Amino acid sequence: MAFTLWTLFEATLLCLNAVCVLHEDRFLAKIGWSSSSSVHGFGEQPSIKAQILNLVRSIRTVTRIPLIFFNIITIIIKLILG
């Protein structure tokens, strides 16, 4: 299998799908990464864990609609081209 732009696109799409599927209450809270555990005071630097949780929430919020569109396009192309 060659490393092409299409395989890079598919890998990125799969990683974004994986991040968007993570549910805070079901999965992240079990490993101690819930939103309630990232409480910090005003003016304090957020921890790395809090920054990663904010990144996951941001990715879920911003890429929800475009991800549906890209998944549909990928499925159609895979069905047509094999």
Side-chain angles (χ1 to χ4, degrees):
M1 177 182 219
F3 185 72
T4 61
L5 190 60
W6 178 253
T7 56
L8 184 65
F9 171 75
E10 283 183 332
T12 305
L13 188 66
L14 287 172
C15 289
L16 282 175
N17 281 328
V19 169
C20 289
V21 166
L22 289 178
H23 194 270
E24 284 188 36
D25 296 335
R26 292 184 187 165
F27 178 73
L28 296 175
K30 289 181 182 178
I31 59 173
W33 283 43
S34 65
S35 58
S36 62
S37 66
S38 64
V39 177
H40 58 312
F42 180 75
E44 293 179 11
Q45 289 285 5
S47 65
I48 293 176
K49 184 166 57 168
Q51 290 178 352
I52 291 173
L53 282 172
N54 284 335
L55 179 67
V56 167
R57 280 189 217 109
S58 300
I59 289 173
R60 259 192 274 154
T61 302
V62 171
T63 63
R64 182 166 297 167
I65 302 299
L67 197 59
I68 294 170
F69 176 71
F70 287 134
N71 280 324
I72 290 171
I73 287 177
T74 304
I75 291 169
I76 290 172
I77 289 174
K78 283 290 198 177
L79 285 174
I80 293 172
L81 300 178

mmCIF file of all heavy atoms in Angstrom, residues 11-47:
data_model
loop_
_atom_site.group_PDB
_atom_site.id
_atom_site.type_symbol
_atom_site.label_atom_id
_atom_site.label_comp_id
_atom_site.label_asym_id
_atom_site.label_seq_id
_atom_site.Cartn_x
_atom_site.Cartn_y
_atom_site.Cartn_z
ATOM 1 N N ALA A 11 -6.617 8.674 7.058
ATOM 2 C CA ALA A 11 -6.083 8.557 8.416
ATOM 3 C C ALA A 11 -6.517 9.737 9.278
ATOM 4 O O ALA A 11 -6.894 9.566 10.443
ATOM 5 C CB ALA A 11 -4.562 8.467 8.373
ATOM 6 N N THR A 12 -6.495 10.932 8.717
ATOM 7 C CA THR A 12 -6.938 12.122 9.435
ATOM 8 C C THR A 12 -8.428 12.026 9.754
ATOM 9 O O THR A 12 -8.857 12.360 10.861
ATOM 10 C CB THR A 12 -6.651 13.384 8.611
ATOM 11 O OG1 THR A 12 -5.274 13.419 8.275
ATOM 12 C CG2 THR A 12 -7.034 14.643 9.357
ATOM 13 N N LEU A 13 -9.196 11.555 8.790
ATOM 14 C CA LEU A 13 -10.637 11.406 8.995
ATOM 15 C C LEU A 13 -10.935 10.390 10.095
ATOM 16 O O LEU A 13 -11.797 10.618 10.951
ATOM 17 C CB LEU A 13 -11.300 10.986 7.686
ATOM 18 C CG LEU A 13 -12.819 10.950 7.655
ATOM 19 C CD1 LEU A 13 -13.372 12.356 7.808
ATOM 20 C CD2 LEU A 13 -13.304 10.326 6.372
ATOM 21 N N LEU A 14 -10.207 9.280 10.112
ATOM 22 C CA LEU A 14 -10.411 8.282 11.159
ATOM 23 C C LEU A 14 -10.036 8.819 12.537
ATOM 24 O O LEU A 14 -10.724 8.551 13.526
ATOM 25 C CB LEU A 14 -9.603 7.019 10.844
ATOM 26 C CG LEU A 14 -10.148 6.152 9.713
ATOM 27 C CD1 LEU A 14 -9.154 5.048 9.389
ATOM 28 C CD2 LEU A 14 -11.494 5.581 10.076
ATOM 29 N N CYS A 15 -8.959 9.589 12.623
ATOM 30 C CA CYS A 15 -8.562 10.174 13.910
ATOM 31 C C CYS A 15 -9.591 11.194 14.394
ATOM 32 O O CYS A 15 -9.924 11.231 15.583
ATOM 33 C CB CYS A 15 -7.182 10.815 13.800
ATOM 34 S SG CYS A 15 -5.864 9.618 13.642
ATOM 35 N N LEU A 16 -10.105 12.017 13.493
ATOM 36 C CA LEU A 16 -11.142 12.980 13.879
ATOM 37 C C LEU A 16 -12.414 12.268 14.320
ATOM 38 O O LEU A 16 -13.063 12.685 15.276
ATOM 39 C CB LEU A 16 -11.442 13.926 12.721
ATOM 40 C CG LEU A 16 -10.435 15.036 12.488
ATOM 41 C CD1 LEU A 16 -10.795 15.816 11.226
ATOM 42 C CD2 LEU A 16 -10.376 15.958 13.679
ATOM 43 N N ASN A 17 -12.773 11.192 13.623
ATOM 44 C CA ASN A 17 -13.935 10.400 14.048
ATOM 45 C C ASN A 17 -13.723 9.826 15.438
ATOM 46 O O ASN A 17 -14.640 9.815 16.257
ATOM 47 C CB ASN A 17 -14.203 9.274 13.051
ATOM 48 C CG ASN A 17 -14.921 9.747 11.819
ATOM 49 O OD1 ASN A 17 -15.716 10.664 11.860
ATOM 50 N ND2 ASN A 17 -14.610 9.117 10.700
ATOM 51 N N ALA A 18 -12.519 9.355 15.703
ATOM 52 C CA ALA A 18 -12.231 8.777 17.017
ATOM 53 C C ALA A 18 -12.349 9.821 18.118
ATOM 54 O O ALA A 18 -12.875 9.546 19.197
ATOM 55 C CB ALA A 18 -10.841 8.157 17.020
ATOM 56 N N VAL A 19 -11.872 11.033 17.871
ATOM 57 C CA VAL A 19 -11.959 12.098 18.874
ATOM 58 C C VAL A 19 -13.411 12.516 19.079
ATOM 59 O O VAL A 19 -13.840 12.753 20.209
ATOM 60 C CB VAL A 19 -11.089 13.306 18.462
ATOM 61 C CG1 VAL A 19 -11.370 14.509 19.324
ATOM 62 C CG2 VAL A 19 -9.622 12.937 18.541
ATOM 63 N N CYS A 20 -14.180 12.579 18.006
ATOM 64 C CA CYS A 20 -15.574 13.021 18.123
ATOM 65 C C CYS A 20 -16.474 11.986 18.785
ATOM 66 O O CYS A 20 -17.502 12.332 19.348
ATOM 67 C CB CYS A 20 -16.120 13.372 16.742
ATOM 68 S SG CYS A 20 -15.398 14.879 16.089
ATOM 69 N N VAL A 21 -16.085 10.724 18.740
ATOM 70 C CA VAL A 21 -16.906 9.672 19.335
ATOM 71 C C VAL A 21 -16.730 9.602 20.844
ATOM 72 O O VAL A 21 -17.619 9.160 21.554
ATOM 73 C CB VAL A 21 -16.575 8.314 18.658
ATOM 74 C CG1 VAL A 21 -17.130 7.149 19.427
ATOM 75 C CG2 VAL A 21 -17.107 8.315 17.253
ATOM 76 N N LEU A 22 -15.596 10.067 21.364
ATOM 77 C CA LEU A 22 -15.347 9.995 22.805
ATOM 78 C C LEU A 22 -16.431 10.736 23.576
ATOM 79 O O LEU A 22 -16.727 11.892 23.303
ATOM 80 C CB LEU A 22 -13.990 10.599 23.145
ATOM 81 C CG LEU A 22 -12.763 9.826 22.723
ATOM 82 C CD1 LEU A 22 -11.525 10.615 23.098
ATOM 83 C CD2 LEU A 22 -12.726 8.470 23.360
ATOM 84 N N HIS A 23 -17.011 10.069 24.541
ATOM 85 C CA HIS A 23 -18.065 10.662 25.361
ATOM 86 C C HIS A 23 -17.500 10.915 26.750
ATOM 87 O O HIS A 23 -16.892 10.028 27.351
ATOM 88 C CB HIS A 23 -19.265 9.708 25.411
ATOM 89 C CG HIS A 23 -20.485 10.347 25.943
ATOM 90 N ND1 HIS A 23 -20.793 10.345 27.279
ATOM 91 C CD2 HIS A 23 -21.482 11.017 25.331
ATOM 92 C CE1 HIS A 23 -21.933 10.975 27.461
ATOM 93 N NE2 HIS A 23 -22.367 11.394 26.300
ATOM 94 N N GLU A 24 -17.704 12.112 27.265
ATOM 95 C CA GLU A 24 -17.104 12.473 28.546
ATOM 96 C C GLU A 24 -17.614 11.628 29.698
ATOM 97 O O GLU A 24 -16.839 11.196 30.540
ATOM 98 C CB GLU A 24 -17.349 13.952 28.843
ATOM 99 C CG GLU A 24 -16.459 14.866 28.053
ATOM 100 C CD GLU A 24 -16.590 16.301 28.498
ATOM 101 O OE1 GLU A 24 -16.770 16.537 29.697
ATOM 102 O OE2 GLU A 24 -16.512 17.177 27.639
ATOM 103 N N ASP A 25 -18.907 11.397 29.758
ATOM 104 C CA ASP A 25 -19.472 10.654 30.888
ATOM 105 C C ASP A 25 -19.172 9.160 30.820
ATOM 106 O O ASP A 25 -18.938 8.522 31.836
ATOM 107 C CB ASP A 25 -20.983 10.867 30.962
ATOM 108 C CG ASP A 25 -21.328 12.316 31.246
ATOM 109 O OD1 ASP A 25 -20.475 13.004 31.842
ATOM 110 O OD2 ASP A 25 -22.429 12.747 30.867
ATOM 111 N N ARG A 26 -19.179 8.603 29.630
ATOM 112 C CA ARG A 26 -18.997 7.156 29.503
ATOM 113 C C ARG A 26 -17.542 6.727 29.523
ATOM 114 O O ARG A 26 -17.196 5.722 30.116
ATOM 115 C CB ARG A 26 -19.635 6.658 28.207
ATOM 116 C CG ARG A 26 -21.125 6.766 28.216
ATOM 117 C CD ARG A 26 -21.682 6.168 26.953
ATOM 118 N NE ARG A 26 -23.105 6.416 26.870
ATOM 119 C CZ ARG A 26 -23.799 6.281 25.782
ATOM 120 N NH1 ARG A 26 -23.214 5.890 24.668
ATOM 121 N NH2 ARG A 26 -25.085 6.522 25.773
ATOM 122 N N PHE A 27 -16.687 7.452 28.827
ATOM 123 C CA PHE A 27 -15.308 7.002 28.682
ATOM 124 C C PHE A 27 -14.313 7.870 29.452
ATOM 125 O O PHE A 27 -13.516 7.374 30.238
ATOM 126 C CB PHE A 27 -14.932 6.978 27.195
ATOM 127 C CG PHE A 27 -13.509 6.572 26.956
ATOM 128 C CD1 PHE A 27 -13.127 5.265 27.128
ATOM 129 C CD2 PHE A 27 -12.573 7.499 26.577
ATOM 130 C CE1 PHE A 27 -11.816 4.880 26.920
ATOM 131 C CE2 PHE A 27 -11.264 7.130 26.367
ATOM 132 C CZ PHE A 27 -10.880 5.815 26.531
ATOM 133 N N LEU A 28 -14.365 9.161 29.236
ATOM 134 C CA LEU A 28 -13.345 10.034 29.812
ATOM 135 C C LEU A 28 -13.450 10.143 31.326
ATOM 136 O O LEU A 28 -12.442 10.281 32.005
ATOM 137 C CB LEU A 28 -13.413 11.415 29.165
ATOM 138 C CG LEU A 28 -13.096 11.441 27.665
ATOM 139 C CD1 LEU A 28 -13.302 12.838 27.110
ATOM 140 C CD2 LEU A 28 -11.684 10.971 27.403
ATOM 141 N N ALA A 29 -14.652 10.069 31.876
ATOM 142 C CA ALA A 29 -14.801 10.152 33.334
ATOM 143 C C ALA A 29 -14.246 8.915 34.023
ATOM 144 O O ALA A 29 -13.764 8.998 35.155
ATOM 145 C CB ALA A 29 -16.272 10.343 33.698
ATOM 146 N N LYS A 30 -14.279 7.775 33.349
ATOM 147 C CA LYS A 30 -13.764 6.548 33.949
ATOM 148 C C LYS A 30 -12.256 6.590 34.138
ATOM 149 O O LYS A 30 -11.728 5.936 35.025
ATOM 150 C CB LYS A 30 -14.136 5.350 33.086
ATOM 151 C CG LYS A 30 -15.600 5.019 33.136
ATOM 152 C CD LYS A 30 -15.916 3.809 32.293
ATOM 153 C CE LYS A 30 -17.406 3.529 32.326
ATOM 154 N NZ LYS A 30 -17.767 2.395 31.484
ATOM 155 N N ILE A 31 -11.556 7.345 33.292
ATOM 156 C CA ILE A 31 -10.109 7.443 33.438
ATOM 157 C C ILE A 31 -9.685 8.744 34.119
ATOM 158 O O ILE A 31 -8.513 9.079 34.142
ATOM 159 C CB ILE A 31 -9.401 7.292 32.075
ATOM 160 C CG1 ILE A 31 -9.849 8.366 31.085
ATOM 161 C CG2 ILE A 31 -9.617 5.911 31.500
ATOM 162 C CD1 ILE A 31 -9.058 8.367 29.797
ATOM 163 N N GLY A 32 -10.666 9.473 34.663
ATOM 164 C CA GLY A 32 -10.364 10.685 35.419
ATOM 165 C C GLY A 32 -10.187 11.927 34.576
ATOM 166 O O GLY A 32 -9.542 12.871 35.001
ATOM 167 N N TRP A 33 -10.756 11.926 33.370
ATOM 168 C CA TRP A 33 -10.617 13.076 32.486
ATOM 169 C C TRP A 33 -11.953 13.774 32.248
ATOM 170 O O TRP A 33 -12.218 14.268 31.168
ATOM 171 C CB TRP A 33 -10.042 12.631 31.149
ATOM 172 C CG TRP A 33 -8.580 12.364 31.189
ATOM 173 C CD1 TRP A 33 -7.903 11.709 32.150
ATOM 174 C CD2 TRP A 33 -7.620 12.751 30.220
ATOM 175 N NE1 TRP A 33 -6.582 11.655 31.836
ATOM 176 C CE2 TRP A 33 -6.376 12.287 30.672
ATOM 177 C CE3 TRP A 33 -7.692 13.442 29.024
ATOM 178 C CZ2 TRP A 33 -5.215 12.495 29.947
ATOM 179 C CZ3 TRP A 33 -6.538 13.648 28.306
ATOM 180 C CH2 TRP A 33 -5.315 13.181 28.768
ATOM 181 N N SER A 34 -12.795 13.858 33.246
ATOM 182 C CA SER A 34 -14.084 14.518 33.068
ATOM 183 C C SER A 34 -13.907 16.028 33.207
ATOM 184 O O SER A 34 -12.881 16.517 33.661
ATOM 185 C CB SER A 34 -15.092 14.004 34.094
ATOM 186 O OG SER A 34 -14.681 14.361 35.390
ATOM 187 N N SER A 35 -14.931 16.763 32.817
ATOM 188 C CA SER A 35 -14.851 18.216 32.866
ATOM 189 C C SER A 35 -14.859 18.739 34.303
ATOM 190 O O SER A 35 -14.352 19.821 34.573
ATOM 191 C CB SER A 35 -16.012 18.830 32.082
ATOM 192 O OG SER A 35 -17.241 18.391 32.615
ATOM 193 N N SER A 36 -15.411 17.964 35.234
ATOM 194 C CA SER A 36 -15.462 18.414 36.625
ATOM 195 C C SER A 36 -14.097 18.324 37.305
ATOM 196 O O SER A 36 -13.850 18.993 38.300
ATOM 197 C CB SER A 36 -16.482 17.599 37.413
ATOM 198 O OG SER A 36 -16.102 16.239 37.430
ATOM 199 N N SER A 37 -13.197 17.495 36.754
ATOM 200 C CA SER A 37 -11.881 17.355 37.376
ATOM 201 C C SER A 37 -10.911 18.448 36.952
ATOM 202 O O SER A 37 -9.807 18.519 37.464
ATOM 203 C CB SER A 37 -11.284 15.991 37.029
ATOM 204 O OG SER A 37 -11.014 15.915 35.650
ATOM 205 N N SER A 38 -11.307 19.301 36.021
ATOM 206 C CA SER A 38 -10.395 20.327 35.520
ATOM 207 C C SER A 38 -10.729 21.717 36.071
ATOM 208 O O SER A 38 -10.618 22.705 35.374
ATOM 209 C CB SER A 38 -10.420 20.344 33.991
ATOM 210 O OG SER A 38 -11.700 20.710 33.539
ATOM 211 N N VAL A 39 -11.147 21.796 37.325
ATOM 212 C CA VAL A 39 -11.477 23.066 37.951
ATOM 213 C C VAL A 39 -10.193 23.718 38.442
ATOM 214 O O VAL A 39 -9.400 23.100 39.146
ATOM 215 C CB VAL A 39 -12.460 22.854 39.132
ATOM 216 C CG1 VAL A 39 -12.734 24.165 39.820
ATOM 217 C CG2 VAL A 39 -13.734 22.224 38.646
ATOM 218 N N HIS A 40 -9.983 24.964 38.041
ATOM 219 C CA HIS A 40 -8.806 25.695 38.488
ATOM 220 C C HIS A 40 -9.201 27.141 38.742
ATOM 221 O O HIS A 40 -10.212 27.620 38.252
ATOM 222 C CB HIS A 40 -7.669 25.578 37.481
ATOM 223 C CG HIS A 40 -8.007 26.061 36.098
ATOM 224 N ND1 HIS A 40 -9.143 25.714 35.420
ATOM 225 C CD2 HIS A 40 -7.328 26.879 35.275
ATOM 226 C CE1 HIS A 40 -9.156 26.296 34.247
ATOM 227 N NE2 HIS A 40 -8.076 27.003 34.126
ATOM 228 N N GLY A 41 -8.407 27.815 39.523
ATOM 229 C CA GLY A 41 -8.726 29.176 39.928
ATOM 230 C C GLY A 41 -8.469 30.197 38.837
ATOM 231 O O GLY A 41 -7.853 29.925 37.811
ATOM 232 N N PHE A 42 -8.919 31.396 39.086
ATOM 233 C CA PHE A 42 -8.757 32.476 38.129
ATOM 234 C C PHE A 42 -7.294 32.899 38.089
ATOM 235 O O PHE A 42 -6.663 33.112 39.108
ATOM 236 C CB PHE A 42 -9.646 33.667 38.522
ATOM 237 C CG PHE A 42 -9.535 34.817 37.571
ATOM 238 C CD1 PHE A 42 -10.136 34.749 36.341
ATOM 239 C CD2 PHE A 42 -8.807 35.949 37.920
ATOM 240 C CE1 PHE A 42 -10.036 35.806 35.459
ATOM 241 C CE2 PHE A 42 -8.699 37.001 37.045
ATOM 242 C CZ PHE A 42 -9.315 36.934 35.816
ATOM 243 N N GLY A 43 -6.740 33.034 36.892
ATOM 244 C CA GLY A 43 -5.374 33.471 36.738
ATOM 245 C C GLY A 43 -4.348 32.355 36.758
ATOM 246 O O GLY A 43 -3.188 32.572 36.456
ATOM 247 N N GLU A 44 -4.775 31.159 37.119
ATOM 248 C CA GLU A 44 -3.859 30.028 37.123
ATOM 249 C C GLU A 44 -3.764 29.440 35.721
ATOM 250 O O GLU A 44 -4.717 29.467 34.952
ATOM 251 C CB GLU A 44 -4.352 28.932 38.068
ATOM 252 C CG GLU A 44 -4.340 29.320 39.524
ATOM 253 C CD GLU A 44 -4.860 28.193 40.401
ATOM 254 O OE1 GLU A 44 -5.019 27.068 39.900
ATOM 255 O OE2 GLU A 44 -5.120 28.474 41.571
ATOM 256 N N GLN A 45 -2.598 28.915 35.407
ATOM 257 C CA GLN A 45 -2.420 28.254 34.125
ATOM 258 C C GLN A 45 -3.166 26.926 34.139
ATOM 259 O O GLN A 45 -3.049 26.165 35.098
ATOM 260 C CB GLN A 45 -0.932 27.990 33.855
ATOM 261 C CG GLN A 45 -0.143 29.236 33.557
ATOM 262 C CD GLN A 45 -0.427 29.753 32.152
ATOM 263 O OE1 GLN A 45 -1.275 29.240 31.432
ATOM 264 N NE2 GLN A 45 0.273 30.798 31.789
ATOM 265 N N PRO A 46 -3.944 26.627 33.097
ATOM 266 C CA PRO A 46 -4.615 25.326 33.052
ATOM 267 C C PRO A 46 -3.588 24.218 32.855
ATOM 268 O O PRO A 46 -2.561 24.397 32.200
ATOM 269 C CB PRO A 46 -5.554 25.437 31.855
ATOM 270 C CG PRO A 46 -5.057 26.576 31.059
ATOM 271 C CD PRO A 46 -4.308 27.484 31.981
ATOM 272 N N SER A 47 -3.882 23.070 33.424
ATOM 273 C CA SER A 47 -2.963 21.936 33.309
ATOM 274 C C SER A 47 -3.006 21.377 31.884
ATOM 275 O O SER A 47 -3.871 21.727 31.081
ATOM 276 C CB SER A 47 -3.341 20.849 34.306
ATOM 277 O OG SER A 47 -4.610 20.322 33.975
#
